[in-house]
Amino acid sequence: MSSILGTYARKNISFKEGKGTFLYTENGDKYLDWVAGIATNILGHCHPHVVRAIQDQSKKLIHVSNAFIIKEAESLAKRLTDNTFADKVFFCNSGAESVEGSIKIVRKYFHKIGKPEKNRIISFSGAFHGRTLAALFLANNKSHTEGFGPKVDGFDQVAFADHEGLKKAINKNTAAIIAEPLQGEGGVKILPDYCLKGLREICDKNRILLVLDCVQTSFRTGTLLGFEYSDISPDICCVAKGFGNGFPIGAILLTNEVSKGMSQGSHGSTFGNNLLACAAAHAVLDIVLAKGFFEEVKTKGEYFDKELKKLKSSFPKIIEEVRGINFIKGLKLKVDNNNFMSKLMERKLLVVKASENCIRLFPSLLSTTEELDMGLEIVKKVCEEYRD
């Protein structure tokens, strides 16, 4: 019996090595990995530039208290503010921590400007914002909150992308709206461009804040943060996952205006700003900010989308819908998604499930066309099994 708490339904398989888009078991079996640590390994496994950056930093200094200036964190924050809407950055260790911190920042901002009654945040149904207590009740997924009462108050919810319902839900206590540009756990559903712009307009009209949870969407949509295609900016953005390519790191990006409520002692993170995480994130940014990187992601993403839609056309009784954008894709199935995933795994392709009977596909952004074709062929063969 395992000594690890049984909070995961783990597959009976273990990997000893990863390279690029592939994972290798103890006995040498090779799997094409489209789970990617759940959207985390954006550059594949053990990218040499990231590995080297972590190794080099580990020989100098691993951790130092935030009581001192950490130049590596200062330079990382500067790169992020230079390349995004943000003026300030707070580093933490995960996406859930970035969401929790954002909740505090929203409430403290309105307290600072003399409106403490504005302390409620509206989310969309189907959202996933992490597993910490407040984040659970913010997303309000009953299967996740059951047994963890009493309910954490301060959150309201409307149907996914329901702007009319959203307008009605806003009241004198509303402080912010939080949304994922693309709901991953919720079924790989995109908030369309007009919807993101509409959220910004609603927030501006009601003088409330817009928080975008880009923990899963960053990079994979073909832009740095996952919402830039809409040509709007949030007040706060939560990021994590791909920024460390597998090394734990999270961050809150925010504007100067919203940051003014956060004074010394108002928030903290022992391992936020740790030097190994900063080294990993710097290495990731070296690659993704290089000229032409996201253009190539979009080109390959369009190819991936086109080929997945061909499969849908060929197997309309199995694949109901192709969802997502570029390298964050989903297949809504007409057959059981658990069974479909098992058949893919038997053929050495790893994917992860989502709500609405979907499976999520997270190839490395550095996947070659040949590697994409390899996975697509496996999906095709599994579809053929059902048809036969």
Side-chain angles (χ1 to χ4, degrees):
M1 180 180 291
S2 174
S3 297
I4 295 178
L5 188 65
T7 54
Y8 284 93
R10 301 177 193 272
K11 306 296 184 185
N12 189 27
I13 188 172
S14 179
F15 300 103
K16 69 170 184 178
E17 186 180 359
K19 185 176 182 181
T21 195
F22 296 99
L23 284 168
Y24 300 85
T25 64
E26 294 287 342
N27 63 6
D29 287 342
K30 179 181 178 181
Y31 286 77
L32 184 62
D33 182 16
W34 283 3
V35 176
I38 309 184
T40 297
N41 300 100
I42 62 162
L43 304 177
H45 294 282
C46 298
H47 189 284
H49 185 58
V50 179
V51 170
R52 186 164 52 249
I54 295 170
Q55 288 175 333
D56 289 346
Q57 182 59 51
S58 71
K59 297 172 186 176
K60 295 184 288 186
L61 187 62
I62 292 176
H63 175 69
V64 67
S65 168
N66 285 304
F68 309 104
I69 292 172
I70 302 172
K71 290 185 177 180
E72 292 80 1
E74 295 277 353
S75 60
L76 179 59
K78 182 66 163 56
R79 289 183 84 176
L80 290 172
T81 57
D82 283 348
N83 287 281
T84 70
F85 75 96
D87 302 306
K88 299 291 184 183
V89 180
F90 177 88
F91 290 116
C92 50
N93 307 291
S94 68
E97 286 182 56
S98 68
V99 170
E100 288 277 335
S102 295
I103 294 168
K104 291 178 67 176
I105 290 168
V106 167
R107 292 180 176 180
K108 197 64 181 288
Y109 170 73
F110 283 104
H111 182 273
K112 177 72 174 180
I113 64 172
K115 298 181 179 180
E117 73 281 1
K118 297 180 78 64
N119 53 32
R120 302 189 69 84
I121 300 175
I122 300 175
S123 68
F124 286 121
S125 61
F128 182 81
H129 297 298
R131 295 281 190 167
T132 48
L133 205 57
L136 281 180
F137 286 98
L138 171 63
N140 199 34
N141 182 325
K142 296 300 186 291
S143 66
H144 294 169
T145 60
E146 184 180 0
F148 294 115
K151 179 180 180 179
V152 177
D153 196 18
F155 309 120
D156 302 299
Q157 193 168 75
V158 298
F160 177 75
D162 180 3
H163 280 210
E164 292 308 309
L166 188 60
K167 292 173 185 177
K168 292 176 183 177
I170 295 172
N171 58 44
K172 63 183 178 62
N173 300 120
T174 302
I177 298 167
I178 187 169
E180 300 158 272
L182 183 153
Q183 286 192 347
E185 180 84 11
V188 198
K189 296 182 295 190
I190 297 175
L191 268 182
D193 178 60
Y194 70 85
C195 190
L196 280 170
K197 289 178 178 175
L199 288 180
R200 181 70 271 177
E201 291 168 2
I202 289 170
C203 288
D204 289 343
K205 182 177 180 180
N206 291 277
R207 297 184 179 180
I208 59 178
L209 303 179
L210 177 60
V211 183
L212 292 182
D213 180 345
C214 298
V215 169
Q216 193 165 137
T217 54
S218 295
F219 309 110
R220 290 190 168 274
T221 55
T223 59
L224 185 62
L225 296 180
F227 61 81
E228 287 94 337
Y229 57 84
S230 68
D231 198 31
I232 60 106
S233 293
D235 301 289
I236 302 171
C237 181
C238 309
V239 298
K241 286 191 181 286
F243 273 87
N245 198 53
F247 199 98
I249 185 171
I252 305 167
L253 311 182
L254 61 162
T255 64
N256 275 328
E257 172 64 20
V258 179
S259 73
K260 65 186 183 184
M262 301 304 287
S263 56
Q264 291 180 8
S266 60
H267 196 42
S269 172
T270 296
F271 294 108
N273 300 300
N274 87 81
L275 286 94
L276 295 189
C278 290
H282 267 301
V284 168
L285 291 180
D286 288 343
I287 295 165
V288 303
L289 294 179
K291 185 177 180 181
F293 179 85
F294 283 120
E295 285 74 13
E296 186 174 347
V297 168
K298 291 173 185 175
T299 298
K300 288 188 291 188
E302 289 170 2
Y303 173 80
F304 192 37
D305 184 71
K306 180 184 69 175
E307 295 301 312
L308 286 170
K309 286 176 177 173
K310 284 183 183 178
L311 289 176
K312 176 187 176 297
S313 297
S314 298
F315 303 98
K317 294 183 178 180
I318 299 162
I319 301 175
E320 181 176 335
E321 186 181 359
V322 177
R323 294 178 171 181
I325 180 173
N326 292 322
F327 281 82
I328 178 168
K329 302 294 290 184
L331 297 181
K332 180 174 172 57
L333 302 173
K334 294 184 178 180
V335 297
D336 179 66
N337 62 353
N338 284 309
N339 188 52
F340 197 91
M341 286 171 56
S342 294
K343 290 179 178 294
L344 292 175
M345 188 171 170
E346 288 172 8
R347 292 181 175 272
K348 305 293 192 295
L349 173 63
L350 305 172
V351 301
V352 64
K353 68 186 294 185
S355 300
E356 301 189 0
N357 203 44
C358 286
I359 60 171
R360 283 176 280 178
L361 315 176
F362 296 133
S364 160
L365 304 189
L366 298 179
S367 296
T368 64
T369 303
E370 290 74 22
E371 288 167 347
L372 293 176
D373 286 342
M374 185 184 302
L376 290 162
E377 182 63 22
I378 294 172
V379 176
K380 179 182 177 182
K381 288 185 180 300
V382 169
C383 288
E384 288 172 343
E385 283 187 48
Y386 281 93
R387 189 172 62 183
D388 295 341

